[in-house]
Amino acid sequence: MNPFIEIITQPDNIAIVIMIIMVTFFMVWAFLQALQNDKLLAAGLPVEGENDKFVDTFKPLVRIELIIAIVVMVGLTIWSIAVDAPLEEIANPTITPNPAKAPWYFLGLQELLVYFDPWLAGVVLPSLIVVGLLAIPYIDINPKGNGYYTFAERKYAILIFSFGFFVLWLLLIVIGVFFRGPGWLWYWPWQEWDHARVVFEPTKDLTTVIGIDSRSLPGFIIGALVVGSYLIGGMMAPYYYWKKNSPELLAKLGIIRYVTIVFLFITMMSIPIKMVLRLVFLIKYIWITPWFNV
Amino acid sequence: MKSLPQITDKVKKNLIWKSIFRRDYRNTVRDRAQAVFGNVFLHLHPVQVRESAVKLRFTWGMGGITFFAFILLVITGVVLMFYYHPTIDQAYNDIKDLEFQVPFGVILRNLHRWGAHFMVIVVMIHMFRVFMTGSYKTPRQFNWGIGVFLLVFTFLLSFTGYLTPWDQLGFWAITVGTNMGAATPLLGYQGPFSEYLHITPYNDIRFALLGGAQVGGNALLRSYIWHCVALPLISIILMFVHFWRVRKDGGISKPQK
Ligand code: HEM
């Protein structure tokens, strides 16, 4: 069989295909409604749902709930009749499959292991995702766009969230499912997996590029300076930018909100930055310390 | 011969019928309201809702679909438990039995497996919808937080279920997943700074998760109990707080400008 068809029709991967279809559909629908409302807002007209009347729960709402329940049940039943859940060989600690993949919704995190050490990719970053999600309502102080689809009124919030959700979470999952083969090497879906393939990619550390041993004291100091200035510079830059361009915003945010927003943002942006460093410049670590590497 | 209306009339006057339904339903305002608050399940809803809450366009019904998937998983999960022993010797064979011996065992297992994938997908889409409509803004900040925990618990429910068939897929997925725990700063034996706390593979966070230094019988039992008892209980409690708050925060969010 064509390897591409083979990989997308593997029983567990069908879920990912369904996810891609559903997510794309709802993404388009959300943004279409947002643009539609933006036109109404620009014209000073009420948005969708603003002049809602009340209707009885029984039966309009109960009816639609019942219909949805039936549709979902029929859909899942068809899926369950058509596709059988796989059962592999009995668990065997002595035979390690290659690649050994985490459950699909964690593959984005597993993909991060290419760019970060496990304590960052598997523990710190996931914790910060949860913290960041919890913080959203408290750090987004824009009162507009409450209870209706809109893009124009909350551009930055939507762009940042969408980048995290669609690119860093969902796209990395799709890559992990469809594009990673033995040795976690990149395989196009139409390529055969080759278990003997080794890719010799001599990765360097940042300081070795400029000829300084990353494990020496000067290397340590330079690395610390680079990481430190990313963090400190990243924390300060928006302050000066906003102070010049929109001081009212800065005043409204206050110090705690400011620190939280900017810290979460630069942490999030460190992911694409390290991806580029690793993939384009073959740089593995920026800073090597006796305790951990970044 | 009696006509149909006569028969229904008779049934409705029957003592048993009356004890169950208490009163007749005529299509009046009062009875439509009564239908909702007289029923413990429908009572989750207010008596009247705004039009948008009924239209698919706004919520896509995603929260409701997530809940429906959860109920389906509880039902199929309970039935699966009748056929399953959480031990290394029996677990794998029990799944094989479901495939080859138990009537409708295959479709039962399929429904549970695909339902679980489905729930993970729709809960993420629900979160996306809530974000896009700005429904986490005042006064719904807290309920968004409850939602984030529900998202995490949905992942954990699925994750703990992975190990239960005791096949290579689950075994190695759990091995990969829990190895992350070993990298926890301070608390995992491979994590930074853990040597200062004298952390070893035998007393770190991974050991606590697995009930051992490797994925084995204890890990299977632990994941089974998390999967079938502890996590569903916590999730159900969170869901009830979630639904309660949807109502107390004024129902599905409406445009506030
Ligand atoms: C097991 C998981 C979950 C279940 C069963 C669930 C269920 C529901 C239901 C039935 C509603 C009513 C409106 C609708 O259907 O959209 C709702 C609303 C809401 N959900 Fe969830 N939810 C879950 C997870 C989440 C998550 C992950 C978030 C966000 C991080 C979230 C945040 C909210 C908020 C803020 C509302 C109010 C929305 C509004 O008023 O427009 N929920 N949820």
Side-chain angles (χ1 to χ4, degrees), chain A residues 145-259:
Chain A
N146 184 345
Y148 52 97
Y149 292 95
T150 168
F151 179 67
E153 293 188 340
R154 3 189 333 244
K155 278 196 209 89
Y156 296 106
I158 290 179
L159 284 177
I160 296 172
F161 182 86
S162 299
F163 180 67
F165 185 63
F166 293 112
V167 181
L168 295 183
W169 185 255
L170 295 175
L171 185 67
L172 290 194
I173 288 177
V174 172
I175 289 177
V177 174
F178 294 122
F179 297 93
R180 290 300 186 179
W184 209 253
L185 295 177
W186 185 281
Y187 283 87
W188 294 102
W190 51 88
Q191 271 178 311
E192 247 9 285
W193 280 7
D194 172 5
H195 285 265
R197 179 176 152 207
V198 238
V199 171
F200 182 63
E201 254 188 349
T203 56
K204 305 162 274 202
D205 298 327
L206 186 71
T207 51
T208 32
V209 176
I210 50 170
I212 296 170
D213 182 4
S214 55
R215 284 165 205 279
S216 66
L217 187 63
F220 172 84
I221 294 173
I222 296 176
L225 284 177
V226 173
V227 173
S229 45
Y230 176 73
L231 287 177
I232 296 172
M235 293 300 293
M236 313 250 290
Y239 176 81
Y240 290 107
Y241 177 78
W242 279 334
K243 196 165 173 184
K244 209 164 135 233
N245 294 298
S246 51
E248 0 34 272
L249 175 68
L250 212 51
K252 244 192 272 161
L253 280 178
I255 176 82
I256 296 180
R257 261 196 217 103
Y258 174 86
V259 171

Side-chain angles (χ1 to χ4, degrees), chain B:
Chain B
M1 281 296 275
K2 291 196 173 105
S3 67
L4 194 63
Q6 278 174 312
I7 298 176
T8 36
D9 200 53
K10 219 165 157 107
V11 171
K12 281 185 177 176
K13 283 203 177 111
N14 180 287
L15 216 64
I16 300 174
W17 178 278
K18 271 163 65 184
S19 75
I20 299 173
F21 294 102
R22 293 174 70 195
R23 47 173 67 76
D24 204 2
Y25 178 80
R26 291 173 222 89
N27 199 5
T28 61
V29 177
R30 190 168 179 281
D31 279 7
R32 286 197 297 267
Q34 185 68 44
V36 174
F37 59 68
N39 179 304
V40 63
F41 302 108
L42 293 183
H43 194 204
L44 269 174
H45 295 304
V47 168
Q48 288 200 317
V49 288
R50 289 176 338 98
E51 263 174 320
S52 302
V54 180
K55 287 187 190 143
L56 273 182
R57 209 174 332 159
F58 189 73
T59 67
W60 311 331
M62 272 306 151
I65 294 176
T66 312
F67 187 48
F68 180 77
F70 179 77
I71 295 173
L72 176 74
L73 289 167
V74 170
I75 295 171
T76 50
V78 168
V79 183
L80 283 171
M81 284 171 80
F82 288 128
Y83 298 99
Y84 178 82
H85 307 78
T87 65
I88 300 185
D89 295 332
Q90 285 166 293
Y92 186 77
N93 291 332
D94 286 342
I95 306 293
K96 279 266 183 246
D97 276 352
L98 276 167
E99 268 182 31
F100 299 110
Q101 301 291 329
V102 178
F104 300 108
V106 176
I107 195 159
L108 182 66
R109 181 165 172 250
N110 291 350
L111 270 176
H112 197 74
R113 175 79 155 246
W114 307 141
H117 283 342
F118 182 72
M119 181 173 171
V120 174
I121 297 171
V122 288
V123 74
M124 297 191 303
I125 298 178
H126 170 57
M127 179 178 78
F128 174 63
R129 182 300 276 183
V130 173
F131 184 86
M132 288 302 287
T133 55
S135 302
Y136 57 83
K137 300 191 176 195
T138 330
R140 296 182 178 76
Q141 297 102 322
F142 180 71
N143 213 16
W144 168 273
I146 299 283
V148 174
F149 281 101
L150 278 170
L151 177 77
V152 173
F153 279 106
T154 306
F155 289 143
L156 291 179
L157 272 166
S158 177
F159 184 66
T160 49
Y162 243 72
L163 188 61
T164 49
W166 200 247
D167 67 344
Q168 280 288 75
L169 184 77
F171 182 89
W172 288 99
I174 297 298
T175 303
V176 171
T178 48
N179 275 345
M180 294 288 131
T184 311
L186 295 172
L187 299 178
Y189 78 97
Q190 289 169 335
F193 305 117
S194 60
E195 62 266 32
Y196 302 116
L197 296 180
H198 306 287
I199 297 288
T200 69
Y202 299 95
N203 64 4
D204 74 337
I205 192 165
R206 182 167 163 277
F207 191 93
L209 291 174
L210 295 179
Q214 272 148 25
V215 179
N218 284 349
L220 180 58
L221 184 62
R222 281 187 190 200
S223 71
Y224 172 78
I225 291 171
W226 279 114
H227 185 72
C228 301
V229 185
L231 292 174
L233 270 179
I234 303 171
S235 308
I236 287 171
I237 292 170
L238 285 175
M239 277 181 212
F240 275 88
V241 179
H242 196 60
F243 300 157
W244 177 255
R245 285 300 292 243
V246 170
R247 279 197 65 176
K248 293 294 143 178
D249 294 341
I252 305 300
S253 57
K254 73 163 195 234
Q256 289 169 12
K257 289 204 283 183

Side-chain angles (χ1 to χ4, degrees), chain A residues 1-10 189:
Chain A
M1 209 190 333
N2 178 334
F4 179 64
I5 305 286
E6 199 174 343
I7 199 162
I8 63 166
T9 52
Q10 261 176 34

Side-chain angles (χ1 to χ4, degrees), chain A residues 11-294:
Chain A
D12 275 307
N13 290 354
I14 289 174
I16 319 297
V17 175
I18 290 175
M19 178 188 82
I20 296 174
I21 295 170
M22 284 182 73
V23 166
T24 314
F25 175 83
F26 286 107
M27 178 183 73
V28 171
W29 201 8
F31 279 97
L32 281 182
Q33 290 193 68
L35 297 182
Q36 194 184 351
N37 275 344
D38 286 348
K39 276 199 207 119
L40 295 172
L41 287 164
L45 296 169
V47 293
E48 204 44 78
E50 199 165 335
N51 299 324
D52 259 5
K53 291 192 297 292
F54 275 89
V55 293
D56 286 319
T57 297
F58 195 83
K59 303 171 186 163
L61 180 59
V62 176
R63 185 196 296 127
I64 193 136
E65 286 173 344
L66 188 68
I67 294 173
I68 293 179
I70 292 171
V71 171
V72 171
M73 195 62 227
V74 169
L76 284 173
T77 309
I78 293 174
W79 187 0
S80 300
I81 292 172
V83 190
D84 282 345
L87 182 67
E88 297 191 355
E89 299 288 297
I90 191 165
N92 185 344
T94 59
I95 301 177
T96 315
N98 184 6
K101 290 190 181 183
W104 62 269
Y105 36 84
F106 288 151
L107 284 189
L109 300 174
Q110 200 174 352
E111 176 72 17
L112 289 186
L113 283 173
V114 180
Y115 316 101
F116 293 95
D117 276 359
W119 66 280
L120 275 171
V123 185
V124 174
L125 290 175
S127 311
L128 285 178
I129 296 175
V130 175
V131 171
L133 285 174
L134 286 171
I136 287 177
Y138 305 100
I139 57 183
D140 177 4
I141 54 169
N142 175 3
K144 290 198 183 144
N146 184 345
Y148 52 97
Y149 292 95
T150 168
F151 179 67
E153 293 188 340
R154 3 189 333 244
K155 278 196 209 89
Y156 296 106
I158 290 179
L159 284 177
I160 296 172
F161 182 86
S162 299
F163 180 67
F165 185 63
F166 293 112
V167 181
L168 295 183
W169 185 255
L170 295 175
L171 185 67
L172 290 194
I173 288 177
V174 172
I175 289 177
V177 174
F178 294 122
F179 297 93
R180 290 300 186 179
W184 209 253
L185 295 177
W186 185 281
Y187 283 87
W188 294 102
W190 51 88
Q191 271 178 311
E192 247 9 285
W193 280 7
D194 172 5
H195 285 265
R197 179 176 152 207
V198 238
V199 171
F200 182 63
E201 254 188 349
T203 56
K204 305 162 274 202
D205 298 327
L206 186 71
T207 51
T208 32
V209 176
I210 50 170
I212 296 170
D213 182 4
S214 55
R215 284 165 205 279
S216 66
L217 187 63
F220 172 84
I221 294 173
I222 296 176
L225 284 177
V226 173
V227 173
S229 45
Y230 176 73
L231 287 177
I232 296 172
M235 293 300 293
M236 313 250 290
Y239 176 81
Y240 290 107
Y241 177 78
W242 279 334
K243 196 165 173 184
K244 209 164 135 233
N245 294 298
S246 51
E248 0 34 272
L249 175 68
L250 212 51
K252 244 192 272 161
L253 280 178
I255 176 82
I256 296 180
R257 261 196 217 103
Y258 174 86
V259 171
T260 318
I261 295 177
V262 179
F263 174 71
L264 289 170
F265 182 72
I266 60 176
T267 310
M268 175 165 145
M269 292 322 282
S270 72
I271 296 170
I273 290 175
K274 274 221 78 175
M275 291 172 92
V276 171
L277 283 179
R278 175 73 178 71
L279 296 176
V280 182
F281 300 102
L282 297 180
I283 288 174
K284 186 155 170 66
Y285 292 122
I286 297 173
W287 182 27
I288 298 212
T289 80
W291 310 278
F292 58 84
N293 306 328
V294 183

